[in-house]
Amino acid sequence: MSEALKLWGLGGALLLCMLLSLMSGASWIGPAEVAMALLQPDAGNINHLLVSTTRLSRTLLAVVVGASLAVAGALMQALTRNPLASPGLFGINAGAAFFIILFSSLFSLASLQAWLWCAFIGAALAGALVWLIGNMGQGRLNPLRLVLAGAAITALFSAFSQALLVMNQDGLDTVLFWLAGSLNERTLAMAMPLLAGSLVALLVALLCAGPLNVLSAGEDIAAGLGQRLGLIRLLLSVLIIGLAGSAVALAGSIGFIGLMVPHMVRKSISIDHRWLLPGCALAGAILLLLADLVARVVILPQEVPVGVMTALLGAPFFILLARRGSSHHE
């Protein structure tokens, strides 16, 4: 099967998962009523209101966040030439969590929109610090230094977060659910600026597929072909920070999608970034939609944080990937 057909198949699977997401929850809503809720909503029908407000925003958020995390993971692995790299390697999750805890402690943030912007600023700051440290020294990005810088910044922000939570335990309950990852209670109007930024970053990332293929062939070959390596690395870093930072701000700490999906797409579709990046976007959206769908219905009437579901899927995959990597080196 050609790469294009596989992408079309993923697109069809994504539409099916979006329909299931609109139908599923504490109460089941049939596909005909979902269609009516979207095309001819009745303000007096509770099911129509449920679909057009809560479930629609949650579904669209899952699509954009899943696609952003997966594409950011693919870019991160290409930038660092490390198959175990993921957006969390930039310290983005830890930076977002620290800023939410810090500003909640100082200013008692009441609105979720304020939380979103605090998380994005923290994620962007942490990612920028890691990139600057990884780019220090000889004036060129060092993949090993980038990994070490990410680990150091993550440990630093995590330690600060724990210290703040110890001093202000009243804010612990309000932060815990966000830290576990959630798509609940986010309205489209509230999330629209970050959603729009994510969509622009996704489009730019898809346009970078050609230079990424050249970069993957090796720095010497890329330089010989006239590629401006410093500019490409800077653009990739900005895209990773923008995509992962927006995703973390919108949905909290959701792990493993940025790690798992690029490997799955490489094996099933192609290593060519012209197919890999759109495949990652589609597969990441599908995976997060399915994880959120299960999280909603597994312990009705309560729901499990979606970050817990992705961790249950991702932890075995990470162990398997690490074991395969070590066996190849032996």
Side-chain angles (χ1 to χ4, degrees):
M1 187 185 297
S2 69
E3 289 86 350
L5 284 177
K6 291 176 182 178
L7 288 183
W8 279 108
L10 281 177
L14 176 59
L15 292 176
L16 179 60
C17 290
M18 291 176 70
L19 177 60
L20 284 174
S21 179
L22 293 173
M23 294 163 59
S24 304
S27 60
W28 175 265
I29 301 175
E33 194 163 8
V34 166
M36 289 297 295
L38 296 175
L39 299 175
Q40 295 180 334
D42 178 4
N45 189 318
I46 188 65
N47 284 341
H48 287 199
L49 289 175
L50 187 61
V51 169
S52 61
T53 56
T54 305
R55 292 189 185 176
L56 179 61
S57 60
R58 187 165 185 163
T59 298
L60 294 178
L61 276 172
V63 169
V64 175
V65 168
S68 298
L69 288 173
V71 171
L75 296 178
M76 189 78 204
Q77 290 166 15
L79 179 67
T80 62
R81 299 193 298 278
N82 182 351
L84 298 180
S86 65
L89 186 67
F90 257 28
I92 285 171
N93 291 355
F98 170 68
F99 265 65
I100 281 186
I101 295 169
L102 175 64
F103 281 88
S104 296
S105 302
L106 293 178
F107 304 111
S108 300
L109 300 178
S111 72
L112 191 59
Q113 192 165 21
W115 277 45
L116 295 183
W117 285 111
C118 284
F120 181 75
I121 292 169
L125 178 62
L129 285 173
V130 172
W131 187 86
L132 288 173
I133 296 171
N135 212 37
M136 288 170 59
Q138 300 174 347
R140 55 184 294 179
L141 186 139
N142 184 309
L144 177 59
R145 191 186 295 127
L146 190 73
V147 172
L148 295 175
I153 294 296
T154 298
L156 182 67
F157 278 130
S158 297
F160 286 160
S161 298
Q162 291 171 8
L164 285 174
L165 288 175
V166 167
M167 292 185 290
N168 179 28
Q169 295 197 9
D170 293 338
L172 181 62
D173 292 338
T174 57
V175 174
L176 274 180
F177 199 76
W178 183 90
L179 292 177
S182 174
L183 295 165
N184 198 20
E185 298 179 5
R186 275 73 161 167
T187 65
L188 286 179
M190 179 192 308
M192 191 53 69
L194 290 176
L195 284 175
S198 296
L199 292 173
V200 171
L202 283 169
L203 179 60
V204 175
L206 295 178
L207 296 175
C208 292
L212 266 177
N213 283 336
V214 177
L215 186 64
S216 299
E219 292 190 359
D220 294 336
I221 295 176
L225 292 173
Q227 296 291 325
R228 300 175 65 179
L229 297 181
L231 183 61
I232 293 173
R233 291 195 194 99
L234 177 60
L235 178 58
L236 291 179
S237 299
V238 170
L239 289 173
I240 292 166
I241 292 169
L243 288 169
S246 297
V248 170
L250 289 168
S253 182
I254 296 177
F256 293 105
I257 286 182
L259 172 66
M260 292 189 297
V261 173
H263 288 280
M264 295 164 60
V265 176
R266 282 191 197 97
K267 288 183 178 297
S268 60
I269 297 181
S270 176
I271 61 172
D272 186 337
H273 286 86
R274 292 173 298 177
W275 303 107
L276 176 65
L277 293 179
C280 284
L282 293 170
I286 291 170
L287 186 60
L288 190 55
L289 272 173
L290 292 175
D292 182 54
L293 198 154
V294 175
R296 274 187 255 172
V297 301
V298 69
I299 54 168
L300 288 174
Q302 303 295 321
E303 68 175 63
V304 177
V306 68
V308 174
M309 300 307 303
T310 58
L312 288 174
L313 291 171
F317 180 87
F318 182 84
I319 295 169
L320 178 63
L321 189 63
R323 285 179 61 86
R324 283 186 176 178
S326 62
S327 65
H328 288 319
H329 290 295
E330 290 175 356

